[in-house]
C-alpha cells in the first residue's frame, strides 16, 4: 500500500497509473489530491495524468527517475537503507575546508560509488567538507546539474537514491561532512513539468532562465513548501550536512518572511529531529550581508555565503585578466580590502555593473564567507574551461593557495585544483532534444564572441568529448609538477588546521600590507 | 545665466531651446550633459531636443510645467520666495494627528491658495500634520495625482511652485506640519518622457502599471538619484515636514542597500542642513516591520508606515462588508489583534491572497504605524466612492473615530471624515488623450464588475461631474447631523492630546477585551 499525495490546485481530475492500472485521486483541501493504492509500494513505477489528458507526467516530487526526466517515477524504499553514521557530527564551520566536486567528472566512472572510492584521498588531503555539485535528475546522462528538473530524485546515471546514500554514509565514516548544491531559482529547460501541476512560476518577473519561480505570488506558500521540503529531504532522508543554494540573487521575493529566511530556519529547525545542524550556504551576487546575518538581527539567517569579490580581486592580481566582470578589480588595494572587509563593492559604484553595488559587512566573522581561488563557475564559465594554473604559473597558483588557506574565510578548493590538474572543466550538456542542444551550443558561441573569443575555439557543450576532457586524470597527481603542488596544498591545509588563530574569523585581527607598484602583499 | 544639467546617457546630441534659440549641451562624465546659457534665468521657458529629433521634451527634472505635462518647462525663482518659518519644528510623530487632503477637492476652488484659507479650521480641529495627496504635475486639470509625470513640478492648476510654498509656509505659521504624498513606484501613462532620456524603467519586472522603475539594474544609481533628489527638493526647497511614499511594495529592488533605505537615510541626513527631521512614511502592503525598523537593526529606517490591517479589521466589523480583500477580515478577534499587534497577517495564510502574508512586529512602538478608519484609497476605490458614514450609521462612525483616536497608532483622518461629509470621494481623471480617457473609464467599469457592481452605477472618471461631486461641501459642517460629528472629533482629538499615555505607543500596555458573539470590544 502506498499513499500518493499531489498538489495540483487547478486540476479537475487526477489519476495515478501504477503497474498498468489507473487510480483516481480524491481532492483534499488546498489543492491537494490523494489516493491510497494497494498494489503500490517500494519499487513500483508510477505516473500522473491530469484532467483526463493522455500525457503521463512524472511526479513533481518524484523521489526516483530511473528512466530519465521524461519517464515514470519510482517509489524507493528509504527505510531499507542501513545507515552507519549514528551520532555523526560535522566539524564546525570555523574549522572547515571545503572541496567542491562534480560527480560526473570527479572519477572516470562518474558515479556516486566511484566517488566513494576516493574519499580516503580527500581525508588525507585534509579537507573537512565535500560539496557536491547538483545531483537532482537533469536531462541527459551528463551535465553540470544546474538544469535539474526532478529536484527530489538523485540522478540515475550517477547511481540513483541508494548509491547517493552509500556515498553520504561513507563520507561520514571517513569523518567527512557532505554539502549538496541545490538549485531553487529556476528549473532546467527540458523535462520541467511543474507548470502543469500548479503556479510554480510567475510571469511577473523575467530571469535569465525565463519566468521566475513563484516565491511571493498566489500559491507561493505551496511552492515554498516544495523547496523547503526538498531541503528537508536532503538533510533528513539523505543525511547531508548542509546545502549550498545556487544563485539566491535570482530569487524574486518581497515577502516579509523571505524564502531564504524560511528555508534556513526550517533547515535549522530540523536539528531537533536529526541532532545535526544543517549548514545553509548561499551563492549570492548581491554583496548583501543580511543574507548571513542572524534572524534575530533581522538577517535571513544563512550560515555562510560564497565571496566572489575575494576571488575576483585575487585572480585579477595573479593573471592580469580584466575582461568581463574582472574589469571591476585588479589592484592590490582591492585584494587587501577583500581580505579585511570581505566585500570590495560595499556600496561603491561598479563600472562593470553600471550601478552602485553591495553593502559593508558589519562585524560578521570571516567564517560566514567562503573564500576560493577557483570554483566550478569561475573555471567552467571561461570559454575553454581553463583552471588558474593554465592561465598563470605554478608559482602564482601556490600564492593563490596560500592566500586562500591562510584567509579569514572558510577555504574552498575545486576538484583537482590541489594538484594543478591538467584537465579543464568545460561546459558540457547532453540534451536529448536536438534542437535544444543546438541552441545551447550556439548560445555558448555567441556569449563568448562578446568576450573576444573566436567561435571555433569554444568546445561544443553537446560533444561527448567535452565532457570526457573535463574528467580528472588521477594518475597525474603523483607525477611532477602535480605532486609538488599537491604536497603544497596538504601542507597548507595542515598548517591552517594547526593554527586556531587562522580560523577565528576575526576580521579586525587581519592585517594586510601591500605595495601597488612593487606588487607585493603580506597577510598577517 | 542659467546652467542646464541633464542626464541622458544614450543620447548622441542634446540641445536646449530657450526663448526660440537652441543651444548644444556638452557631454560630462557619467552620461550627463551641460550648457550655460546667458539668456536663460528665472521665468525662461525651455525644452530639450535629443539626437537632432524634432521633438521638444520637457525636462525630466522640470521644476515647473506652466503649460501642462507635454509643454515647455520653466525656470522658477526659488530664491525669491520669502519664507517666514525660521526655526519651525514639527510636533513629534508620537503626538501627531494626521489629516489627509486632496487639493483639488478640499475647497471649491481646488487650489493651494484656497486650501491655505482653511488652515485655521484644521488648527482648530486639532490635527497636527496635514498630508497632501500628490501635487506633482499630472495630465489634465484634475485627478487624484497618482498619474504624476513631472515629479519636480508642482501641478500648475493647483497654483504651481510659488503657491505651494505659500501653503507650506502658512501651515507652519499655523503650527501645522505638512507631509507630501510622492509616487516613486511608477509614472503616469501620459506625459512620461523619462524613457527617452535614460533607463528609468526595466522590462525585467512587470507591475500593474507596466515596466517597473529601474531601482536595481544598469543605470539605477542615477534613477535612484532622481528620486532621492526629488525627496530632498520637497524637504529642502519646499520646507515639507515629511513624505508619504506611495505603494513601496511595488518597488522591485534586491540591492543590498535598498532604495527605501537610501531615500530614508538621505532624507534624514538633510536634517544637518534644514534643522528639521523629515518624516519618511511608507504606504506598504507587505506587512513587513523591516520597513520601520531602524537601519542599525538592519531595517530600512522609515519613520512610519500605514497600517491597512487595522483599517480592514475595523471596517469589516462595522459594516459587515466581506467583499474583495475584506474577505480576510471580519472578526472582533482580528480587530483586537490589530490593536495589540498591528498586523493581523503576521505570517499567517491569507485566503484572499492565496499565500502566506506578513510578519510579526517585534517590539516596535505603535507610533511607527498610522491608523485610520478611512483614507483616499479606501473611500475612493469603492465603485461609488462612499465614505464610511454612507455605509453605516452615525453611531458606528463615532465608534470608528473613537477607536482610531484612542488607538496606539498615529491617527489619520481623511478630509471631511470629521463631519461625516455627504460628498463622496470618487475616482476622477481628466485625460486629454481621449483614447486613454476611454480606456480608464472602461477599465473602471470592468474592475468593479468583478465585485458585482453594475457598470451603469459606476461614475465615469472622465466626467467632470465626478470630480465636482467629490468636492467637500463646507457649509454642511455647521448643520446637523454633521456639526455633532465634527464636535465628536474635536473632543476626541483634544482628549488624545491631553492623555500622554494614549500616545506612548507601548503596544504591551494595550489591553483589549471583546466578545465575538455579543459584538463588543473594550480598548484600554
Amino acid at each position: 500500500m502506498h499513499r500518493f499525495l499531489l498538489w495540483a490546485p487547478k486540476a479537475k481530475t487526477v489519476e495515478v497509473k501504477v503497474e498498468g492500472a489507473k487510480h483516481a485521486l480524491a481532492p483534499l483541501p488546498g489543492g491537494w489530491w490523494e489516493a491510497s493504492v494497494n498494489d503500490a509500494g517500494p519499487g513500483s513505477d508510477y505516473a500522473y495524468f491530469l484532467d483526463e489528458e493522455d500525457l503521463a507526467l512524472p511526479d513533481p516530487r518524484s523521489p526516483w527517475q530511473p528512466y530519465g526526466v521524461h519517464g515514470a517515477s519510482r517509489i524507493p524504499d528509504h527505510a531499507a537503507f542501513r545507515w552507519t553514521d549514528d551520532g555523526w557530527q560535522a566539524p564546525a564551520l570555523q574549522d572547515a575546508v571545503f572541496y567542491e566536486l562534480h560527480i560526473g567528472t570527479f572519477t572516470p566512472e562518474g558515479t556516486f560509488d566511484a566517488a566513494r572510492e576516493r574519499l580516503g584521498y580527500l581525508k588525507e588531503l585534509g579537507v573537512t567538507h565535500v560539496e557536491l555539485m547538483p545531483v537532482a535528475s537533469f536531462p541527459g546522462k551528463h551535465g553540470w546539474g544546474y538544469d535539474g528538473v526532478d529536484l527530489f530524485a538523485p540522478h540515475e546515471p550517477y547511481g540513483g537514491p541508494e548509491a547517493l546514500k552509500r556515498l553520504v554514509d561513507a563520507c561520514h565514516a571517513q569523518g567527512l561532512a557532505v554539502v549538496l548544491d541545490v538549485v531553487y531559482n529556476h528549473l532546467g529547460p527540458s523535462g520541467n513539468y511543474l507548470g502543469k501541476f500548479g503556479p510554480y512560476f510567475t510571469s511577473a518577473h523575467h530571469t535569465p532562465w525565463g519566468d521566475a519561480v513563484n516565491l511571493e505570488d498566489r500559491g507561493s506558500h505551496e511552492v515554498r513548501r516544495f523547496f523547503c521540503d526538498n531541503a528537508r529531504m536532503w538533510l533528513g532522508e539523505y543525511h547531508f550536512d548542509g546545502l549550498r543554494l545556487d544563485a539566491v540573487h535570482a530569487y524574486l521575493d518581497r515577502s516579509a518572511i523571505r524564502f531564504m529566511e524560511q528555508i534556513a530556519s526550517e533547515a535549522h529547525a530540523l536539528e531537533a529531529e536529526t541532532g545535526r545542524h544543517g549548514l545553509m550556504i548561499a551563492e549570492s551576487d548581491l554583496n548583501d550581508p543580511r543574507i548571513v546575518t542572524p534572524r534575530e538581527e533581522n538577517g535571513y539567517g544563512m550560515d555562510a555565503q560564497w565571496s566572489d569579490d575575494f576571488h575576483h580581486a585575487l585572480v585579477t592580481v595573479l593573471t592580469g585578466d580584466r575582461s568581463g566582470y574582472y574589469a571591476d578589480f585588479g589592484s592590490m588595494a582591492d585584494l587587501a580590502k577583500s581580505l579585511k572587509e570581505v566585500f570590495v563593492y560595499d556600496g561603491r559604484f561598479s563600472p562593470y555593473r553600471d550601478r552602485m553595488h553591495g553593502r559593508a559587512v558589519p562585524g560578521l566573522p570571516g567564517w560566514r564567507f567562503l573564500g576560493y581561488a577557483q570554483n566550478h563557475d569561475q573555471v567552467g564559465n571561461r570559454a575553454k574551461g581553463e583552471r588558474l594554473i593554465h592561465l598563470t604559473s605554478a608559482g602564482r597558483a601556490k600564492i593563490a593557495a596560500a592566500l586562500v588557506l591562510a584567509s579569514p574565510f572558510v577555504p574552498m578548493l575545486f576538484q583537482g585544483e590541489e594538484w594543478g590538474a591538467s584537465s579543464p572543466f568545460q561546459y558540457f550538456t547532453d540534451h536529448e532534444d536536438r534542437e535544444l542542444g543546438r541552441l545551447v551550443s550556439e548560445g555558448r558561441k555567441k556569449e563568448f564572441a562578446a568576450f573576444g573569443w573566436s567561435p571555433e575555439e569554444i568546445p561544443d557543450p553537446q560533444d561527448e568529448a567535452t565532457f570526457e576532457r573535463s574528467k580528472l586524470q588521477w594518475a597525474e597527481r603523483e607525477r611532477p609538477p602535480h605532486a609538488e603542488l599537491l604536497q603544497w596544498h596538504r601542507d597548507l591545509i595542515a598548517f591552517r588546521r594547526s593554527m586556531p588563530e587562522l580560523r577565528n574569523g576575526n576580521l579586525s585581527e587581519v592585517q594586510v600590507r601591500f605595495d601597488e607598484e612593487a606588487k607585493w602583499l603580506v597577510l598577517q
Side-chain angles (χ1 to χ4, degrees), chain A residues 7 26-33 222:
Chain A
W7 184 60
L28 295 172
W32 285 84
W33 300 76
E222 286 294 352

Side-chain angles (χ1 to χ4, degrees), chain A residues 212-520:
Chain A
V213 170
N214 172 22
L215 298 174
E216 58 166 33
D217 217 333
R218 300 186 71 80
S220 57
H221 55 297
E222 286 294 352
V223 178
R224 288 165 166 242
R225 272 265 52 79
F226 176 83
F227 293 114
C228 288
D229 288 348
N230 184 264
R232 291 163 50 93
M233 180 193 73
W234 295 123
L235 298 172
E237 197 66 69
Y238 283 90
H239 291 209
F240 275 97
D241 299 289
L243 301 173
R244 178 259 192 196
L245 272 54
D246 183 63
V248 300
H249 45 270
Y251 296 162
L252 283 152
D253 180 19
R254 285 165 288 185
S255 317
I257 297 174
R258 294 282 196 296
F259 171 60
M260 219 183 313
E261 178 181 352
Q262 181 185 351
I263 199 167
S265 64
E266 289 200 19
H268 291 158
L270 208 62
E271 184 169 350
E273 274 175 49
T274 63
R276 302 184 307 272
H277 177 85
L279 285 177
M280 295 297 280
I281 301 170
E283 180 205 10
S284 166
D285 187 38
L286 296 170
N287 282 18
D288 187 350
R290 270 199 194 89
I291 290 172
V292 294
T293 297
R295 292 172 63 217
E296 310 81 63
E297 297 167 26
N298 284 312
Y300 306 151
M302 300 286 289
D303 293 281
Q305 73 152 75
W306 288 25
S307 176
D308 269 359
D309 278 17
F310 169 64
H311 172 272
H312 297 349
L314 176 57
V315 166
T316 50
V317 162
L318 291 175
T319 66
D321 193 349
R322 297 289 183 279
S323 61
Y325 45 71
Y326 290 147
D328 274 352
F329 297 85
S331 71
M332 300 299 266
D334 286 345
L335 180 55
K337 183 173 179 182
S338 74
L339 283 162
K340 287 179 65 72
E341 303 174 33
V342 189
F343 296 144
V344 176
Y345 286 85
D346 55 1
R348 266 169 56 179
F349 179 74
S350 153
Y352 174 72
R353 298 170 194 263
D354 190 22
R355 60 170 172 83
M356 298 294 181
H357 185 54
R359 182 190 189 92
V361 172
L364 293 165
W367 46 262
R368 292 258 176 247
F369 302 89
L370 269 70
Y372 38 84
Q374 303 181 55
N375 64 39
H376 76 274
D377 259 331
Q378 302 301 339
V379 174
N381 281 333
R382 297 187 61 84
K384 293 191 277 187
E386 302 100 323
R387 297 166 176 274
L388 187 59
I389 192 125
H390 306 152
L391 303 169
T392 185
S393 63
R396 292 193 171 206
K398 279 187 174 176
I399 293 172
L403 274 174
V404 167
L405 287 161
S407 79
F409 311 124
V410 174
M412 184 174 74
L413 304 175
F414 176 61
Q415 63 178 28
E417 172 179 357
E418 70 276 18
W419 77 69
S422 65
S423 50
F425 186 72
Q426 300 181 331
Y427 186 71
F428 45 84
T429 53
D430 179 32
H431 287 297
E432 295 139 328
D433 178 339
R434 288 177 61 183
E435 176 59 14
L436 177 61
R438 194 187 63 76
L439 287 172
V440 167
S441 298
E442 290 299 313
R444 194 82 184 163
K445 285 182 186 173
K446 272 194 198 143
E447 189 182 325
F448 286 113
F451 282 78
W453 279 301
S454 53
E456 60 273 16
E457 283 185 80
I458 296 161
D460 181 355
Q462 283 283 98
D463 182 353
E464 177 128 8
T466 306
F467 166 59
E468 290 297 333
R469 198 183 298 128
S470 299
K471 289 185 173 179
L472 290 183
Q473 304 299 321
W474 282 83
E476 70 185 13
R477 79 184 189 284
E478 286 159 13
R479 294 196 301 261
H482 305 288
E484 192 202 336
L485 198 57
L486 180 55
Q487 193 55 46
W488 177 251
H489 280 84
R490 282 201 184 107
D491 291 347
L492 284 169
I493 294 172
F495 176 69
R496 181 179 185 89
R497 298 188 70 170
S498 70
M499 300 278 282
E501 54 272 45
L502 280 182
R503 309 193 306 268
N504 70 14
N506 191 336
L507 292 170
S508 64
E509 286 176 11
V510 175
Q511 293 186 31
V512 190
R513 290 175 297 128
F514 64 93
D515 185 311
E516 201 74 67
E517 299 306 314
K519 294 287 172 209
W520 57 258

Side-chain angles (χ1 to χ4, degrees), chain A residues 6-15 23-28 31-34 49-53 57 196-198:
Chain A
L6 178 74
W7 184 60
K10 292 270 170 70
K12 290 185 194 69
T13 68
V14 178
E15 291 166 299
H23 308 264
L25 276 75
L28 295 172
W32 285 84
W33 300 76
E34 70 160 345
F49 292 78
L50 299 181
D51 296 340
E52 302 182 2
E53 280 179 41
L57 295 168
K196 294 193 175 289
F197 290 93

